[in-house]
Amino acid sequence: MRLAGLYGPRVDALIFSSATGRMITPWKDYLSPPGRAALYRDCNRRCRSAFENQRAAIAHIFEARRPAAIACLGAGILNDIPYARFIEAGATVHLVDWLPDIVDLGIASGVIRKSGVGAPECLYCRLGHIDAEDYCCNYRRTETSPAGVCDAFRPDPDAPGWCRAFGRGDLPHVHRQDVTGGYAEAFGAGVADKLAGVTSWRQAFKRAIGLANQVKGQRSRLAIPDRSIDLVVSSMVISQFEHEPYDYFSKQAAALLGAPTAQEEVRLRPAMETLRKTLVQNQIAGHCDEIARILAPDGRCFLAFEVFHRAEDGGAWRLVEEMHGAVAALDRRFDFDIDGCPDLVGDTCFRTNGGRSVVYHLLLAAKAGP
Ligand SMILES: C[S@@+](CC[C@H](N)C(=O)[O-])C[C@H]1O[C@@H](n2cnc3c(N)ncnc32)[C@H](O)[C@@H]1O
């Protein structure tokens, strides 16, 4: 399994499509598979250490620049986000992801830590400069509350970093939105209609490529004001654009038409490549537009993505072709702050499930001049 597909929806909740008489999954259900909470908690346990390099790089940039407002796009389960540090420093934090519940679980996973003497300490209770009830709707502190936690505290025996009573308050700002400015969602939402009545894979790809071009102009904004963010984080997110919503389309087409034969696959390859490339490039363009829109004039964007990959079973390192194209797309939109970024290129090895990835870390600034 490639790194980029890490949090891809796994469970296909099939429903009956009256248009075709076959079973397909609507886009919104595809992003909300049943049993997702257990899946995300498991990801948090298994994958956290794999994101250490990205977490360290983001923490370094945070300490160097001390941004007052931060937006993490594709924040997921916060494996690579030094969230506690952001809150300790009093930053305004926006966390964006299109998977329901994943960000809430990420926040809940890091609420409790152990103090120097081994007592539980709540991230929000111990900070005098914030109103803890803004962050936890169950916060209840009295004169007799123990030092680092409030009266509501209930330890989770199975998960040391969790408090069972924690309920997210109004802060941080959590947005369940598409970080491609609505492009990926518009494609996903249009797939079922385009697949209605298809009788061949060739026809399915033709319609999907048409849809991928047709929704190019459709844009929706994140609920974050223009030029308001000092540090935008997009960590291991654009790598995901190779997987979704392409995988959604191919799974639904397979549900209707059956898997293509090996021979058919060879014939379909040019169409598959065209669709995949069109989706990746337009998602990157939408993502860059939103980053450029929300970035403050002196702000920075930390971007991490996979550029080489070696599969679990070893073999040759492979170029992740579309991500090299992404560097050129970024260059058209941003300046590179090479000196401001630690561990810039190449030697960051990300390992998960036995596979390995080389990840680029780039720090972007708004383009200077005309
Ligand atoms: C591999 S994870 C990145 C790691 C993540 N920051 C973490 O620590 O869990 C990629 C995340 O980006 C999200 N994502 C991918 N495409 C997205 C899109 N178009 N809009 C919003 N979120 C997206 C996924 O749901 C996933 O949570």
Side-chain angles (χ1 to χ4, degrees):
M1 181 174 59
R2 283 272 306 278
L3 149 73
L6 212 54
Y7 301 157
R10 301 265 190 289
V11 188
D12 279 18
L14 296 177
I15 63 147
F16 187 72
S17 157
S18 55
T20 60
R22 301 277 187 96
M23 307 294 258
I24 62 163
T25 307
W27 171 247
K28 67 175 175 39
D29 293 353
Y30 181 74
L31 287 186
S32 316
R36 60 186 175 275
L39 174 71
Y40 301 152
R41 278 177 87 135
D42 184 50
C43 261
N44 179 248
R45 260 191 307 273
R46 280 188 305 111
C47 307
R48 193 166 170 79
S49 62
F51 285 98
E52 238 153 53
N53 286 322
Q54 286 71 48
R55 200 163 54 244
I58 297 165
H60 178 101
I61 294 163
F62 176 78
E63 298 304 341
R65 300 190 62 85
R66 280 310 186 99
I70 304 165
C72 302
L73 310 185
I77 193 108
L78 307 188
N79 272 330
D80 46 6
I81 308 295
Y83 171 74
R85 192 61 203 111
F86 297 168
I87 299 300
E88 282 164 0
T92 298
V93 179
H94 295 263
L95 302 171
V96 187
D97 205 287
W98 62 2
L99 296 181
D101 306 330
I102 194 166
V103 168
D104 283 334
L105 285 164
I107 294 170
S109 73
V111 167
I112 303 299
R113 65 174 200 186
K114 283 265 191 290
S115 74
V117 293
E121 266 190 348
C122 164
L123 167 65
Y124 305 118
C125 291
R126 71 191 158 82
L127 297 176
H129 66 276
I130 64 166
D131 292 324
E133 59 271 23
D134 288 342
Y135 288 86
C136 175
C137 58
N138 296 322
Y139 173 77
R140 214 174 53 241
R141 192 156 186 89
T142 60
E143 280 176 7
T144 55
S145 300
V149 292
C150 77
D151 291 347
F153 173 62
R154 275 195 296 137
D156 187 331
D158 302 325
W162 301 64
C163 166
R164 285 196 169 171
F166 174 70
R168 180 169 61 79
D170 295 336
L171 297 175
H173 304 283
V174 175
H175 312 278
R176 188 182 153 196
Q177 286 191 280
D178 174 9
V179 300
T180 68
Y183 175 79
E185 290 242 296
F187 176 84
V191 163
D193 274 358
K194 292 288 173 193
L195 286 180
V198 290
T199 53
S200 72
W201 273 95
R202 207 184 162 81
Q203 193 185 22
F205 270 105
K206 193 169 174 216
R207 291 191 188 181
I209 292 167
L211 177 64
N213 287 316
Q214 178 194 327
V215 297
K216 207 167 154 181
Q218 284 189 30
R219 286 287 154 87
S220 60
R221 292 171 164 216
L222 295 171
I224 300 176
D226 293 1
R227 298 153 68 94
S228 63
I229 302 296
D230 305 301
L231 177 62
V232 178
V233 172
S234 165
S235 175
M236 309 311 292
V237 180
I238 68 170
S239 299
Q240 194 91 27
F241 296 168
E242 286 203 309
H243 292 257
E244 297 296 354
Y246 178 92
D247 286 3
Y248 170 69
F249 156 76
S250 59
K251 282 180 190 168
Q252 305 322 307
L256 294 175
L257 300 165
T261 62
Q263 255 186 343
E264 229 176 346
E265 260 201 49
V266 173
R267 279 199 303 272
L268 288 169
R269 197 162 298 279
M272 290 160 100
E273 285 308 308
T274 301
L275 178 59
R276 201 184 276 280
K277 276 197 175 133
T278 307
L279 288 173
V280 171
Q281 287 168 3
N282 286 327
Q283 286 184 92
I284 291 175
H287 193 52
C288 286
D289 283 351
E290 274 304 279
I291 292 171
R293 182 184 69 76
I294 63 177
L295 202 60
D298 290 333
R300 292 289 184 275
C301 171
F302 171 80
L303 208 100
F305 53 97
E306 180 194 41
V307 280
F308 294 98
H309 174 75
R310 195 169 71 175
E312 296 93 280
D313 52 5
W317 280 91
R318 305 249 171 245
L319 188 75
V320 185
E321 207 182 315
E322 285 307 315
M323 294 300 113
H324 285 263
V327 180
L330 294 170
D331 186 45
R332 287 192 287 276
R333 295 303 307 260
F334 302 100
D335 285 340
F336 296 108
D337 180 0
I338 300 290
D339 302 317
C341 193
D343 303 333
L344 190 64
V345 174
D347 61 353
T348 303
C349 281
F350 181 105
R351 295 151 204 253
T352 181
N353 302 309
R356 289 181 64 194
S357 301
V358 173
V359 173
Y360 276 4
H361 290 175
L362 297 176
L363 197 60
L364 310 172
K367 249 205 184 326

